[in-house]
Amino acid sequence: MATRTKRSPIWEFFKDPGDKKVECKLCEKKLVYTGGTTAMRENMKRAHPLLFGKFDPEQSSGKQQSSMLQHVAVKPAAKQMSASTAREITSCLTDWLVRDLRPLSIVGDVGFRELMGRVSPGYVMPSRTHVSKLIGQRHTAGLSALTSRLKSVSGCCLTTDAWTSKATQSYNTITVHFVNAAWELESAVVETALFPGSHTGIRIAEKVFDATVRVGLQPVQVIAVVHDEARNAELAGRHLLEDHGWESVTCSAHLLQTCVRHVLDASAPAQKLLSAARKLVGHFRHSSQATEALIAKQVQMGSTSPVKLTQDVPTHWNSAHDMLKRLVELRLPVMAVLTAPGKLHYCIV
C-alpha cells in the first residue's frame, strides 16, 4: 500500500502495520486509522499521560518539537507486563473502587496515573468506560450468586428504607436477612436504586415485591417486611400483608426514637437544657476561631487527644446524650475559652 504522509509528530510514538491500523510503540495497542491523529493523541493522553504531558502536538512545531519527541521516544519503555498480571491489577483496582465507593473518574486523574506508573511500571491504566463495564459485570455476578444462595432459604425477612443522597436524589434500599445452614445470621443488599416520584404506599410495596422477583425469592419464603413508622411505609406493609401474607413490622429503633422524642418534648426542663446545649455547641461549630481556641486549651490542660464538641441529630435520640456527655467532659476548657480576657461571655441560660 502507499506510504502514509506522517506530518504530525505524534507518529514518533506509532508505527504503521498496515490494514488501516496503527500500533503504539509503547504499549503495542492497535488503533483504527481513518486518516486523522485524534485516536492516537487520545491513546497517548489516556495510556501514557507522563509522556504526553511533556508536550502538546497541537501547540508545538518545528525542530524544537521534533527533537523533544525524539528525546522522549528513544527512552526505553517500561517492560510490558503479562496479560494475567495486568488483569489481576485491574481486578484489584475494580474491587477498591467498589468497596471504598470511589468515583470512576479517578482512573483518569493524572496524579493517580503517576502513582500507578510508579507502583506498576508497564501497566496500562484501563479507561473509565472499561472499569464501568467491569463493575457492571461484578454486579451481575453478585446478583447471580445471591440468587443461588436464596434458593435454599426456607424463610427470610426484608427491610426497606427510603433515603435521600447529598445530591438530593431519592433512593430506596431493600435488604434480605436469613439464617444459613450453620445457624449464622446473614444479610445482603437486594437493591439500592433511584426512587423518583411520589413515595406512595402502593409504589413502595411494588418496589419491594419487584426486588424479590429479581433475586428469585418466592412469596412463601418471605416472612415479614421491616420498615420505619412513616405512614407511607406502614401503608406499604399493609398492602404486602394483604397481597402476599408478609407480616408488617415497624423498626424497633424507630419506635424507640419516637418514644424518647415524645418524652423529651413533654419535659420543659429537658427542652431548656437541650436548647442551651445546642446554642453553645453551635457557637463553636460555626466559629473556626472558637474551635481552634478550644483545641488549644485542651492541649494546654494536658490533653494528648483533643476533641471537638458534638452536635445532636433530631432523628437519633442517643446523639442528644452524646452531646451532653461531651459538654460535661469539656466543661473546663469550654468555660476557659468563653471567659478568656477580651472575649464576650456566652450566656446559655
Side-chain angles (χ1 to χ4, degrees), residues 21-86:
K21 291 185 178 181
V22 292
E23 183 178 324
C24 179
K25 296 178 182 178
L26 302 176
C27 63
E28 300 181 353
K29 182 175 182 178
K30 293 184 179 181
L31 306 172
V32 177
Y33 180 74
T34 59
T37 60
T38 300
M40 291 184 280
R41 294 183 70 252
E42 289 299 320
N43 180 75
M44 286 295 299
K45 185 187 301 183
R46 181 185 63 81
H48 314 290
L50 293 179
L51 298 181
F52 185 80
K54 296 181 180 180
F55 72 97
D56 187 344
E58 296 297 328
Q59 298 179 4
S60 304
S61 60
K63 296 181 179 180
Q64 181 179 3
Q65 182 196 48
S66 179
S67 62
M68 182 184 295
L69 287 173
Q70 280 190 344
H71 176 70
V72 174
V74 296
K75 288 183 178 180
K79 183 179 179 181
Q80 190 75 9
M81 64 174 55
S82 65
S84 60
T85 302

Side-chain angles (χ1 to χ4, degrees), residues 9 67 91-92 134-135 170 183-184 189 206 208 263 279 298 347:
S67 62
S91 178
C92 292
L134 292 178
I135 292 177
S170 296
W183 285 91
E184 298 171 335
V189 175
E206 292 174 346
V208 173
V263 171
K279 290 179 181 179
Q298 292 178 66
C347 181

Side-chain angles (χ1 to χ4, degrees), residues 187-204:
S187 299
V189 175
V190 175
E191 176 184 84
T192 293
L194 280 170
F195 195 14
S198 179
H199 294 182
T200 64
I202 294 178
R203 288 197 65 211
I204 295 175

Side-chain angles (χ1 to χ4, degrees), residues 283-284 289-290 292-294 296-297 300-301 331-346:
H283 167 70
F284 281 90
Q289 292 182 349
E292 292 170 2
L294 179 61
K297 185 60 66 175
Q300 183 181 346
M301 291 182 173
R331 62 188 183 280
L332 294 180
V334 167
M335 291 175 62
V337 171
L338 296 178
T339 58
K343 301 295 183 183
L344 292 176
H345 290 214
Y346 192 81

